[in-house]
Amino acid sequence: MQMSQIQLQSSSMKIGLNIDQPVQEIQQKAADQSIEQPRAILEIQTTPGKLTIDQTKAREDMDLKSLSKRVEEFAQQGYQDWLAGMARRSQQGTELRHIENGGNAIAVQAKRNSKGPEKQFNLGWIPSHFSVQLDYQPAQVEIEATPQKPIIDVNVEVEVLQENSLDIDFINLFPDEIGE
């Protein structure tokens, strides 16, 4: 008795290689490739440094004072001299008032008034040490970098040499078995 059969026959896709001689050569069309690297975003903010030099004290030490400083000093010296003059006159008046107690008050006062202050001589540094004041504030730099990812586009062509297939055959099928 013959049995009905269904035969399935399939074939896989094949990629062919042509090998001539014992050396294997593979040729492939180069892929079409495009790479673009956008520039990074770079932000730089700079606060400049600041150097301040104050040489007022050094100039005063060398007697190169500003007009306002000179006026202030002269006013103060005038006031001190005025107070000293009042005190001297008051003392001399008291000495003259007691002339009857003896002594030569007028001669003593004349000698004292004619004599100037003793001159002072001293060695020192002009200008004085550390009289120039320096202040430095360093610059500040802030850098912010934002990298950008590359843009890559690749096109590759693939060629199929044989497509896969499936063949179905029915053998020894009788018409009554099919449902007729």
Side-chain angles (χ1 to χ4, degrees):
M1 166 174 202
Q2 288 188 339
M3 303 265 317
S4 298
Q5 296 179 2
I6 297 177
Q7 289 184 343
L8 300 175
Q9 192 174 13
S10 66
S11 62
S12 300
M13 179 173 42
K14 294 181 183 177
I15 298 176
L17 295 174
N18 293 329
I19 300 174
D20 296 328
Q21 304 171 355
V23 176
Q24 181 179 3
E25 291 181 12
I26 299 175
Q27 292 184 351
Q28 180 177 347
K29 181 180 173 187
D32 187 17
Q33 189 175 36
S34 168
I35 299 176
E36 181 181 341
Q37 176 65 57
R39 291 183 180 177
I41 299 170
L42 188 63
E43 295 179 18
I44 301 174
Q45 294 180 350
T46 304
T47 304
K50 183 178 179 182
L51 174 64
T52 305
I53 300 173
D54 183 7
Q55 58 183 2
T56 306
K57 177 75 171 108
R59 292 182 60 83
E60 288 175 1
D61 287 351
M62 295 186 316
D63 203 28
L64 298 172
K65 300 173 185 170
S66 66
L67 181 61
S68 61
K69 186 70 174 176
R70 288 242 189 243
V71 169
E72 180 185 334
E73 286 180 356
F74 287 154
Q76 184 66 28
Q77 185 63 43
Y79 181 71
Q80 293 299 324
D81 289 348
W82 176 68
L83 290 177
M86 281 182 27
R88 182 177 45 85
R89 284 183 182 82
S90 173
Q91 180 188 2
Q92 287 177 353
T94 303
E95 288 174 359
L96 290 175
R97 214 176 45 208
H98 295 109
I99 202 166
E100 71 275 355
N101 292 339
N104 196 355
I106 296 176
V108 170
Q109 287 179 8
K111 184 177 181 182
R112 196 177 333 145
N113 289 341
S114 66
K115 197 171 159 186
E118 263 186 52
K119 299 290 182 189
Q120 297 290 325
F121 181 75
N122 193 2
L123 291 177
W125 299 101
I126 298 179
S128 61
H129 196 54
F130 295 118
S131 61
V132 176
Q133 300 296 318
L134 300 175
D135 181 40
Y136 177 67
Q137 296 173 352
Q140 294 180 349
V141 178
E142 294 178 21
I143 299 174
E144 185 176 329
T146 307
Q148 300 295 312
K149 293 186 177 183
I151 301 169
I152 300 174
D153 184 26
V154 178
N155 294 323
V156 178
E157 292 183 19
V158 177
E159 180 182 352
V160 176
L161 296 177
Q162 176 183 334
E163 294 185 8
N164 52 350
S165 64
L166 175 63
D167 292 332
I168 302 174
D169 287 333
F170 297 95
I171 300 174
N172 295 330
L173 271 182
F174 299 104
D176 56 345
E177 291 177 357
I178 302 178
E180 292 182 8

